Amino acid sequence: MLCKELLKEYLLDLKLRNYSKRTIETYEQQVTKFLEFYSKTFNEDAHVQKVKKLHYKMFIGSLLDRNLMETYINAILKGNKSFYSYAVEEGLIRESPLKDIKFLKEQKKVLVAFSDNEVLNMINVWNFSSFLNARNKVIIATLLDTGIRVSELINLKNEDIKSNYISVLGKGNKWRVVPLSNELEYLINKYIRIRDNHFKKLRTYYGRNRVLEDYLFLGKSGKGIKTVTNIELVIKDTAKKANVRPDVRASPHTFRHYYSLKNLQQGQDIFTISKILGHNNINTTKIYLGSITNEQVIEKAVATSPLSCLL
């Protein structure tokens, strides 16, 4: 059986098991990378029964030759391991070719967060002069002030915005509440007014009713933003205009990192931060602790000194 045929079945199985659209797309991309490598290397399509451990070792070697990060390669291997586990479950093969292939040892790197000035500059790149300007401004503000994932952001509905919190549908289709500051609530309400007026004028101009989708953040057509890539491009463009340092990764995840780090610096406990971020394991949240500098540790410790509190 051709791998590309089984891949369609596998993706449908993930959908039926209620995996998120983002996860399904990611797994498809990860398996496809190997299939493209196999086809290019051996000038034929990969068959489930013909793929061996050697082929995956060659694939990993090609990824390492491109100087790709270990974390990125491991993510690709994870998707392929899951794909071949499905092939075993379906009785197509007795053993996965990835069974004895271990994940690469990852180098622990200190995450570099945005500075406060960089964050302010990125917010100020956009204004409320137009619908798209207002949308981009509030997208940046929402990411930095809530720490939500970009996939969660594009799926926010109007009804999810409450008076002092946001209802967020996260990984595993689990709902959680995320605090909404007065400042962000003000920006969101202003954006909604501009958004609704914008599309009202368009309906009047074109002489027909344009039905808007019920998402908070919309594209030019009045439909929801379908892909994470669209938001990533906005962030990269914003970071470039705000002169963000080259060594800081301009991505949605860096806003999540900034949110976590800022809350830790402000005295919020890691358990609350972990719950807000939607982490199943607090160890995931602890990764952000590595970014706190010695100066910040000293400042925080002095402020919470047991002796100072007693005397």
Side-chain angles (χ1 to χ4, degrees):
M1 183 178 186
L2 288 175
C3 288
K4 62 182 180 183
E5 292 178 356
L6 182 62
L7 179 58
K8 294 178 182 178
E9 180 183 320
Y10 167 67
L11 296 175
L12 180 58
D13 180 71
L14 293 180
K15 185 176 182 180
L16 294 175
R17 286 195 278 160
N18 211 24
Y19 277 65
S20 70
K21 182 180 178 182
R22 174 65 171 167
T23 299
I24 294 173
E25 289 175 349
T26 299
Y27 276 31
E28 180 180 15
Q29 292 169 3
Q30 291 166 346
V31 175
T32 300
K33 288 182 189 299
F34 170 73
L35 298 184
E36 290 176 346
F37 164 81
Y38 187 98
S39 177
K40 183 178 180 180
T41 304
F42 300 102
N43 199 29
E44 64 177 15
D45 290 332
H47 285 72
V48 179
Q49 294 81 1
K50 289 185 178 181
V51 174
K52 305 299 179 184
K53 183 197 298 184
L54 175 63
H55 300 141
Y56 267 102
K57 285 187 174 182
M58 294 172 64
F59 175 55
I60 295 170
S62 71
L63 297 176
L64 289 170
D65 288 341
R66 292 164 55 189
N67 294 319
L68 297 174
M69 293 180 62
E70 291 84 355
T71 51
Y72 179 74
I73 296 175
N74 284 341
I76 295 175
L77 290 178
K78 180 182 177 182
N80 279 269
K81 280 177 176 285
S82 178
F83 171 68
Y84 269 97
S85 293
Y86 177 77
V88 173
E89 291 170 5
E90 291 298 305
L92 297 172
I93 52 177
R94 292 182 61 186
E95 189 174 272
S96 168
L98 285 150
K99 179 184 177 182
D100 297 322
I101 291 184
K102 298 179 180 180
F103 291 112
L104 301 179
K105 185 177 180 180
E106 298 179 5
Q107 295 180 357
K108 292 185 178 180
K109 293 185 177 181
V110 175
L111 299 173
V112 181
F114 296 123
S115 68
D116 291 343
N117 284 335
E118 286 170 337
V119 167
L120 286 172
N121 289 340
M122 282 190 284
I123 293 176
N124 292 329
V125 163
W126 309 103
N127 52 38
F128 288 103
S129 62
S130 68
F131 158 64
L132 286 180
N133 267 353
R135 185 203 66 181
N136 292 347
K137 185 181 186 73
V138 178
I139 282 175
I140 298 296
T142 302
L143 288 173
L144 78 90
D145 204 44
T146 64
I148 62 175
R149 301 178 178 93
V150 64
S151 57
E152 296 168 344
L153 177 117
I154 63 177
N155 287 315
L156 282 176
K157 300 287 186 69
N158 293 307
E159 63 187 23
D160 295 331
I161 310 302
K162 314 299 182 182
S163 60
N164 62 350
Y165 69 93
I166 299 174
S167 294
V168 177
L169 182 59
K171 286 186 175 181
N173 283 327
K174 294 180 181 179
W175 286 94
R176 72 180 189 278
V177 296
V178 174
L180 177 63
S181 67
N182 292 332
E183 291 78 10
L184 181 57
E185 184 178 4
Y186 169 79
L187 294 176
I188 289 175
N189 287 334
K190 190 170 183 178
Y191 155 71
I192 290 175
R193 172 172 57 80
I194 293 172
R195 178 198 67 187
D196 293 349
N197 286 337
H198 170 77
F199 286 105
K200 182 179 180 181
K201 290 179 181 178
L202 284 184
R203 286 196 293 268
T204 302
Y205 180 80
Y206 287 106
R208 63 177 183 270
N209 186 28
R210 179 176 296 203
V211 180
L212 304 182
E213 292 191 348
D214 192 34
Y215 291 99
L216 176 62
F217 296 110
L218 301 176
K220 293 179 181 179
S221 64
K223 296 183 178 180
I225 300 171
K226 300 302 180 185
T227 66
V228 170
T229 303
N230 292 331
I231 303 297
E232 291 174 339
L233 290 174
V234 169
I235 292 174
K236 287 182 180 180
D237 181 42
T238 304
K240 184 177 180 180
K241 292 177 178 177
N243 294 319
V244 171
R245 289 163 294 161
D247 60 328
V248 181
R249 185 183 176 200
S251 73
H253 186 76
T254 307
F255 281 102
R256 196 164 159 83
H257 177 203
Y258 174 84
Y259 173 86
S260 305
L261 187 59
K262 198 66 180 175
N263 271 270
L264 285 168
Q265 293 172 1
Q266 295 289 85
Q268 184 61 272
D269 66 274
I270 193 169
F271 298 99
T272 300
I273 296 172
S274 184
K275 189 174 182 63
I276 292 173
L277 293 176
H279 286 160
N280 292 323
N281 191 327
I282 197 171
N283 288 328
T284 306
T285 317
K286 287 180 179 178
I287 295 173
Y288 300 113
L289 289 170
S291 298
I292 298 181
T293 65
N294 291 334
E295 290 78 10
Q296 291 167 339
V297 170
I298 293 170
E299 182 181 356
K300 186 176 176 64
V302 168
T304 57
S305 162
L307 191 58
S308 297
C309 295
L310 292 172
L311 300 179

